[in-house]
mmCIF file of all heavy atoms in Angstrom:
data_model
loop_
_atom_site.group_PDB
_atom_site.id
_atom_site.type_symbol
_atom_site.label_atom_id
_atom_site.label_comp_id
_atom_site.label_asym_id
_atom_site.label_seq_id
_atom_site.Cartn_x
_atom_site.Cartn_y
_atom_site.Cartn_z
ATOM 1 N N VAL A 1 81.833 30.780 21.302
ATOM 2 C CA VAL A 1 82.833 31.599 21.972
ATOM 3 C C VAL A 1 83.356 32.633 20.883
ATOM 4 O O VAL A 1 83.445 33.818 21.239
ATOM 5 C CB VAL A 1 84.071 30.764 22.531
ATOM 6 C CG1 VAL A 1 85.183 31.644 22.909
ATOM 7 C CG2 VAL A 1 83.565 29.836 23.568
ATOM 8 N N ALA A 2 83.640 32.158 19.757
ATOM 9 C CA ALA A 2 84.145 33.082 18.681
ATOM 10 C C ALA A 2 83.086 34.172 18.373
ATOM 11 O O ALA A 2 83.387 35.399 18.294
ATOM 12 C CB ALA A 2 84.484 32.304 17.404
ATOM 13 N N LYS A 3 81.862 33.761 18.221
ATOM 14 C CA LYS A 3 80.782 34.726 17.892
ATOM 15 C C LYS A 3 80.644 35.772 18.991
ATOM 16 O O LYS A 3 80.334 36.931 18.706
ATOM 17 C CB LYS A 3 79.417 34.085 17.612
ATOM 18 C CG LYS A 3 79.373 33.405 16.240
ATOM 19 C CD LYS A 3 78.035 32.849 15.916
ATOM 20 C CE LYS A 3 77.931 32.349 14.528
ATOM 21 N NZ LYS A 3 76.654 31.765 14.273
ATOM 22 N N ALA A 4 80.800 35.323 20.247
ATOM 23 C CA ALA A 4 80.620 36.236 21.392
ATOM 24 C C ALA A 4 81.849 37.222 21.429
ATOM 25 O O ALA A 4 81.698 38.307 22.102
ATOM 26 C CB ALA A 4 80.601 35.495 22.697
ATOM 27 N N THR A 5 82.980 36.827 20.882
ATOM 28 C CA THR A 5 84.169 37.647 20.897
ATOM 29 C C THR A 5 84.257 38.653 19.761
ATOM 30 O O THR A 5 84.850 39.729 19.924
ATOM 31 C CB THR A 5 85.437 36.780 20.901
ATOM 32 O OG1 THR A 5 85.232 35.746 21.962
ATOM 33 C CG2 THR A 5 86.668 37.513 21.191
ATOM 34 N N VAL A 6 83.700 38.273 18.632
ATOM 35 C CA VAL A 6 83.807 39.250 17.375
ATOM 36 C C VAL A 6 83.441 40.584 17.780
ATOM 37 O O VAL A 6 84.186 41.552 17.335
ATOM 38 C CB VAL A 6 82.937 38.646 16.285
ATOM 39 C CG1 VAL A 6 82.801 39.605 15.231
ATOM 40 C CG2 VAL A 6 83.622 37.311 15.723
ATOM 41 N N PRO A 7 82.277 40.927 18.448
ATOM 42 C CA PRO A 7 81.905 42.266 18.652
ATOM 43 C C PRO A 7 82.977 43.107 19.434
ATOM 44 O O PRO A 7 83.259 44.294 19.131
ATOM 45 C CB PRO A 7 80.671 42.228 19.453
ATOM 46 C CG PRO A 7 80.097 40.863 19.078
ATOM 47 C CD PRO A 7 81.273 40.003 18.902
ATOM 48 N N ALA A 8 83.590 42.486 20.443
ATOM 49 C CA ALA A 8 84.670 43.179 21.244
ATOM 50 C C ALA A 8 85.897 43.504 20.368
ATOM 51 O O ALA A 8 86.374 44.539 20.374
ATOM 52 C CB ALA A 8 85.084 42.309 22.491
ATOM 53 N N VAL A 9 86.320 42.501 19.540
ATOM 54 C CA VAL A 9 87.427 42.731 18.738
ATOM 55 C C VAL A 9 87.178 43.710 17.641
ATOM 56 O O VAL A 9 87.932 44.682 17.396
ATOM 57 C CB VAL A 9 87.913 41.367 18.003
ATOM 58 C CG1 VAL A 9 88.963 41.621 16.942
ATOM 59 C CG2 VAL A 9 88.368 40.353 19.011
ATOM 60 N N ASN A 10 85.973 43.781 17.014
ATOM 61 C CA ASN A 10 85.550 44.733 16.074
ATOM 62 C C ASN A 10 85.418 46.143 16.624
ATOM 63 O O ASN A 10 85.796 47.158 15.988
ATOM 64 C CB ASN A 10 84.219 44.416 15.423
ATOM 65 C CG ASN A 10 84.352 43.226 14.466
ATOM 66 O OD1 ASN A 10 85.466 42.802 14.034
ATOM 67 N ND2 ASN A 10 83.281 42.703 13.999
ATOM 68 N N ALA A 11 85.002 46.241 17.937
ATOM 69 C CA ALA A 11 84.861 47.532 18.525
ATOM 70 C C ALA A 11 86.243 48.159 18.745
ATOM 71 O O ALA A 11 86.392 49.408 18.575
ATOM 72 C CB ALA A 11 84.095 47.438 19.852
ATOM 73 N N VAL A 12 87.226 47.349 19.163
ATOM 74 C CA VAL A 12 88.490 47.859 19.382
ATOM 75 C C VAL A 12 89.166 48.356 18.101
ATOM 76 O O VAL A 12 89.674 49.450 17.986
ATOM 77 C CB VAL A 12 89.441 46.774 20.108
ATOM 78 C CG1 VAL A 12 90.886 47.260 20.054
ATOM 79 C CG2 VAL A 12 88.955 46.768 21.558
ATOM 80 N N MET A 13 89.034 47.509 17.023
ATOM 81 C CA MET A 13 89.592 47.856 15.764
ATOM 82 C C MET A 13 88.903 49.101 15.102
ATOM 83 O O MET A 13 89.554 50.011 14.622
ATOM 84 C CB MET A 13 89.491 46.733 14.709
ATOM 85 C CG MET A 13 90.433 45.527 15.043
ATOM 86 S SD MET A 13 90.380 44.195 13.832
ATOM 87 C CE MET A 13 89.049 44.440 12.829
ATOM 88 N N SER A 14 87.622 49.155 15.319
ATOM 89 C CA SER A 14 86.854 50.334 14.801
ATOM 90 C C SER A 14 87.209 51.630 15.563
ATOM 91 O O SER A 14 87.393 52.657 14.926
ATOM 92 C CB SER A 14 85.358 50.164 14.963
ATOM 93 O OG SER A 14 84.954 49.114 14.153
ATOM 94 N N ALA A 15 87.423 51.558 16.876
ATOM 95 C CA ALA A 15 87.837 52.707 17.612
ATOM 96 C C ALA A 15 89.188 53.215 17.199
ATOM 97 O O ALA A 15 89.428 54.436 17.044
ATOM 98 C CB ALA A 15 87.799 52.361 19.136
ATOM 99 N N ALA A 16 90.100 52.258 17.014
ATOM 100 C CA ALA A 16 91.418 52.682 16.661
ATOM 101 C C ALA A 16 91.424 53.361 15.215
ATOM 102 O O ALA A 16 92.064 54.350 15.076
ATOM 103 C CB ALA A 16 92.365 51.370 16.551
ATOM 104 N N MET A 17 90.653 52.751 14.339
ATOM 105 C CA MET A 17 90.646 53.373 12.973
ATOM 106 C C MET A 17 89.939 54.730 13.031
ATOM 107 O O MET A 17 90.391 55.718 12.337
ATOM 108 C CB MET A 17 89.827 52.464 11.995
ATOM 109 C CG MET A 17 90.671 51.287 11.449
ATOM 110 S SD MET A 17 89.888 50.443 10.131
ATOM 111 C CE MET A 17 88.956 49.140 11.053
ATOM 112 N N LEU A 18 88.829 54.849 13.806
ATOM 113 C CA LEU A 18 88.093 56.123 13.843
ATOM 114 C C LEU A 18 88.989 57.226 14.467
ATOM 115 O O LEU A 18 89.005 58.287 13.897
ATOM 116 C CB LEU A 18 86.809 55.854 14.688
ATOM 117 C CG LEU A 18 85.857 57.003 14.758
ATOM 118 C CD1 LEU A 18 85.344 57.395 13.400
ATOM 119 C CD2 LEU A 18 84.684 56.622 15.660
ATOM 120 N N ALA A 19 89.703 56.989 15.511
ATOM 121 C CA ALA A 19 90.661 57.870 16.155
ATOM 122 C C ALA A 19 91.677 58.328 15.143
ATOM 123 O O ALA A 19 91.978 59.519 15.051
ATOM 124 C CB ALA A 19 91.163 57.327 17.430
ATOM 125 N N THR A 20 92.210 57.380 14.438
ATOM 126 C CA THR A 20 93.346 57.598 13.509
ATOM 127 C C THR A 20 92.793 58.563 12.366
ATOM 128 O O THR A 20 93.449 59.513 11.951
ATOM 129 C CB THR A 20 93.897 56.363 12.921
ATOM 130 O OG1 THR A 20 94.464 55.587 13.991
ATOM 131 C CG2 THR A 20 94.958 56.650 11.832
ATOM 132 N N ILE A 21 91.630 58.215 11.834
ATOM 133 C CA ILE A 21 91.056 58.981 10.648
ATOM 134 C C ILE A 21 90.745 60.370 11.152
ATOM 135 O O ILE A 21 91.058 61.366 10.502
ATOM 136 C CB ILE A 21 89.831 58.270 10.121
ATOM 137 C CG1 ILE A 21 90.228 56.977 9.424
ATOM 138 C CG2 ILE A 21 89.101 59.190 9.163
ATOM 139 C CD1 ILE A 21 89.104 55.993 9.094
ATOM 140 N N ARG A 22 90.020 60.524 12.368
ATOM 141 C CA ARG A 22 89.673 61.865 12.820
ATOM 142 C C ARG A 22 90.951 62.621 13.132
ATOM 143 O O ARG A 22 90.889 63.833 12.943
ATOM 144 C CB ARG A 22 88.806 61.727 14.036
ATOM 145 C CG ARG A 22 87.387 61.190 13.488
ATOM 146 C CD ARG A 22 86.282 61.648 14.455
ATOM 147 N NE ARG A 22 84.979 61.275 13.886
ATOM 148 C CZ ARG A 22 84.019 60.559 14.561
ATOM 149 N NH1 ARG A 22 84.163 60.385 15.837
ATOM 150 N NH2 ARG A 22 82.903 60.296 13.958
ATOM 151 N N HIS A 23 91.987 62.075 13.604
ATOM 152 C CA HIS A 23 93.157 62.793 13.892
ATOM 153 C C HIS A 23 93.782 63.328 12.547
ATOM 154 O O HIS A 23 94.290 64.343 12.441
ATOM 155 C CB HIS A 23 94.237 61.963 14.642
ATOM 156 C CG HIS A 23 95.471 62.630 14.859
ATOM 157 N ND1 HIS A 23 95.629 63.752 15.536
ATOM 158 C CD2 HIS A 23 96.722 62.257 14.344
ATOM 159 C CE1 HIS A 23 96.946 64.087 15.549
ATOM 160 N NE2 HIS A 23 97.626 63.282 14.781
ATOM 161 N N SER A 24 93.810 62.459 11.490
ATOM 162 C CA SER A 24 94.397 62.800 10.271
ATOM 163 C C SER A 24 93.538 63.949 9.569
ATOM 164 O O SER A 24 94.144 64.624 8.768
ATOM 165 C CB SER A 24 94.461 61.540 9.302
ATOM 166 O OG SER A 24 93.154 61.187 8.880
ATOM 167 N N ILE A 25 92.240 64.054 9.801
ATOM 168 C CA ILE A 25 91.478 65.122 9.285
ATOM 169 C C ILE A 25 91.892 66.398 9.726
ATOM 170 O O ILE A 25 91.967 67.423 8.978
ATOM 171 C CB ILE A 25 89.908 64.866 9.558
ATOM 172 C CG1 ILE A 25 89.411 63.655 8.762
ATOM 173 C CG2 ILE A 25 89.126 66.117 9.267
ATOM 174 C CD1 ILE A 25 88.002 63.163 9.098
ATOM 175 N N ASP A 26 92.193 66.550 11.018
ATOM 176 C CA ASP A 26 92.606 67.803 11.639
ATOM 177 C C ASP A 26 93.593 67.497 12.690
ATOM 178 O O ASP A 26 93.175 67.159 13.875
ATOM 179 C CB ASP A 26 91.428 68.603 12.140
ATOM 180 C CG ASP A 26 91.938 69.972 12.656
ATOM 181 O OD1 ASP A 26 93.063 70.341 12.661
ATOM 182 O OD2 ASP A 26 91.036 70.709 13.174
ATOM 183 N N THR A 27 94.923 67.514 12.372
ATOM 184 C CA THR A 27 95.903 67.135 13.365
ATOM 185 C C THR A 27 96.075 68.171 14.495
ATOM 186 O O THR A 27 96.851 67.951 15.441
ATOM 187 C CB THR A 27 97.305 66.917 12.689
ATOM 188 O OG1 THR A 27 97.588 68.222 11.973
ATOM 189 C CG2 THR A 27 97.222 65.779 11.696
ATOM 190 N N ARG A 28 95.285 69.309 14.368
ATOM 191 C CA ARG A 28 95.373 70.320 15.413
ATOM 192 C C ARG A 28 94.327 70.086 16.497
ATOM 193 O O ARG A 28 94.230 70.797 17.520
ATOM 194 C CB ARG A 28 95.187 71.707 14.808
ATOM 195 C CG ARG A 28 96.303 72.093 13.825
ATOM 196 C CD ARG A 28 95.866 73.185 12.947
ATOM 197 N NE ARG A 28 94.645 72.840 12.160
ATOM 198 C CZ ARG A 28 93.921 73.697 11.503
ATOM 199 N NH1 ARG A 28 94.264 74.940 11.332
ATOM 200 N NH2 ARG A 28 92.901 73.266 10.844
ATOM 201 N N ASP A 29 93.401 69.103 16.280
ATOM 202 C CA ASP A 29 92.386 68.856 17.244
ATOM 203 C C ASP A 29 92.882 68.164 18.481
ATOM 204 O O ASP A 29 93.474 67.095 18.359
ATOM 205 C CB ASP A 29 91.327 67.852 16.637
ATOM 206 C CG ASP A 29 90.156 67.592 17.464
ATOM 207 O OD1 ASP A 29 90.285 67.250 18.647
ATOM 208 O OD2 ASP A 29 88.978 67.669 17.007
ATOM 209 N N ALA A 30 92.889 68.808 19.566
ATOM 210 C CA ALA A 30 93.588 68.406 20.778
ATOM 211 C C ALA A 30 93.044 67.089 21.264
ATOM 212 O O ALA A 30 93.759 66.252 21.747
ATOM 213 C CB ALA A 30 93.468 69.513 21.944
ATOM 214 N N TYR A 31 91.656 66.854 21.165
ATOM 215 C CA TYR A 31 91.036 65.634 21.638
ATOM 216 C C TYR A 31 91.635 64.440 20.828
ATOM 217 O O TYR A 31 92.106 63.414 21.473
ATOM 218 C CB TYR A 31 89.559 65.655 21.530
ATOM 219 C CG TYR A 31 88.964 64.395 21.990
ATOM 220 C CD1 TYR A 31 88.763 64.043 23.299
ATOM 221 C CD2 TYR A 31 88.495 63.503 21.024
ATOM 222 C CE1 TYR A 31 88.172 62.904 23.763
ATOM 223 C CE2 TYR A 31 87.955 62.311 21.446
ATOM 224 C CZ TYR A 31 87.810 61.969 22.822
ATOM 225 O OH TYR A 31 87.245 60.812 23.175
ATOM 226 N N TYR A 32 91.601 64.490 19.520
ATOM 227 C CA TYR A 32 92.110 63.430 18.657
ATOM 228 C C TYR A 32 93.613 63.287 18.700
ATOM 229 O O TYR A 32 94.112 62.240 18.395
ATOM 230 C CB TYR A 32 91.431 63.447 17.338
ATOM 231 C CG TYR A 32 90.054 62.944 17.458
ATOM 232 C CD1 TYR A 32 88.976 63.851 17.254
ATOM 233 C CD2 TYR A 32 89.721 61.613 17.681
ATOM 234 C CE1 TYR A 32 87.630 63.333 17.363
ATOM 235 C CE2 TYR A 32 88.507 61.182 17.818
ATOM 236 C CZ TYR A 32 87.420 62.046 17.721
ATOM 237 O OH TYR A 32 86.113 61.555 17.864
ATOM 238 N N THR A 33 94.387 64.365 18.969
ATOM 239 C CA THR A 33 95.760 64.278 19.099
ATOM 240 C C THR A 33 96.067 63.438 20.340
ATOM 241 O O THR A 33 96.968 62.538 20.323
ATOM 242 C CB THR A 33 96.401 65.638 19.253
ATOM 243 O OG1 THR A 33 96.210 66.395 18.062
ATOM 244 C CG2 THR A 33 97.843 65.550 19.599
ATOM 245 N N ALA A 34 95.294 63.571 21.462
ATOM 246 C CA ALA A 34 95.466 62.798 22.639
ATOM 247 C C ALA A 34 95.076 61.327 22.364
ATOM 248 O O ALA A 34 95.721 60.417 22.834
ATOM 249 C CB ALA A 34 94.626 63.316 23.785
ATOM 250 N N GLU A 35 94.105 61.121 21.571
ATOM 251 C CA GLU A 35 93.635 59.732 21.240
ATOM 252 C C GLU A 35 94.738 59.123 20.360
ATOM 253 O O GLU A 35 94.997 57.879 20.502
ATOM 254 C CB GLU A 35 92.277 59.773 20.539
ATOM 255 C CG GLU A 35 91.204 60.085 21.515
ATOM 256 C CD GLU A 35 91.188 59.262 22.835
ATOM 257 O OE1 GLU A 35 90.944 58.089 22.760
ATOM 258 O OE2 GLU A 35 91.418 59.797 23.867
ATOM 259 N N ASP A 36 95.313 59.893 19.410
ATOM 260 C CA ASP A 36 96.339 59.337 18.564
ATOM 261 C C ASP A 36 97.593 58.822 19.445
ATOM 262 O O ASP A 36 98.065 57.791 19.211
ATOM 263 C CB ASP A 36 96.724 60.445 17.563
ATOM 264 C CG ASP A 36 97.774 59.880 16.597
ATOM 265 O OD1 ASP A 36 97.550 58.899 15.893
ATOM 266 O OD2 ASP A 36 98.885 60.375 16.491
ATOM 267 N N GLU A 37 97.914 59.747 20.386
ATOM 268 C CA GLU A 37 99.035 59.346 21.335
ATOM 269 C C GLU A 37 98.632 58.064 22.147
ATOM 270 O O GLU A 37 99.506 57.253 22.346
ATOM 271 C CB GLU A 37 99.280 60.534 22.279
ATOM 272 C CG GLU A 37 99.899 61.700 21.516
ATOM 273 C CD GLU A 37 100.020 62.926 22.343
ATOM 274 O OE1 GLU A 37 99.611 62.932 23.549
ATOM 275 O OE2 GLU A 37 100.441 63.969 21.821
#
C-alpha cells in the first residue's frame, strides 16, 4: 500500500515545488502567478 502511494505523494510535492520555483524565477509570469495562488 505504501509503495503504491509514494508516487502520488511525490507527484503532489514535486508539482508544488516546481510551481513555487518557477513563480519565483519570474513573478510577472501570469501562468505561474495563478499556480502560486
Side-chain angles (χ1 to χ4, degrees):
V1 171
K3 282 185 175 180
T5 309
V6 168
V9 173
N10 286 348
V12 167
M13 287 186 348
S14 295
M17 280 192 269
L18 188 58
T20 299
I21 292 168
R22 289 206 174 135
H23 175 66
S24 71
I25 290 170
D26 183 0
T27 57
R28 298 164 299 172
D29 182 312
Y31 179 78
Y32 283 107
T33 295
E35 291 308 296
D36 185 59
E37 290 168 2

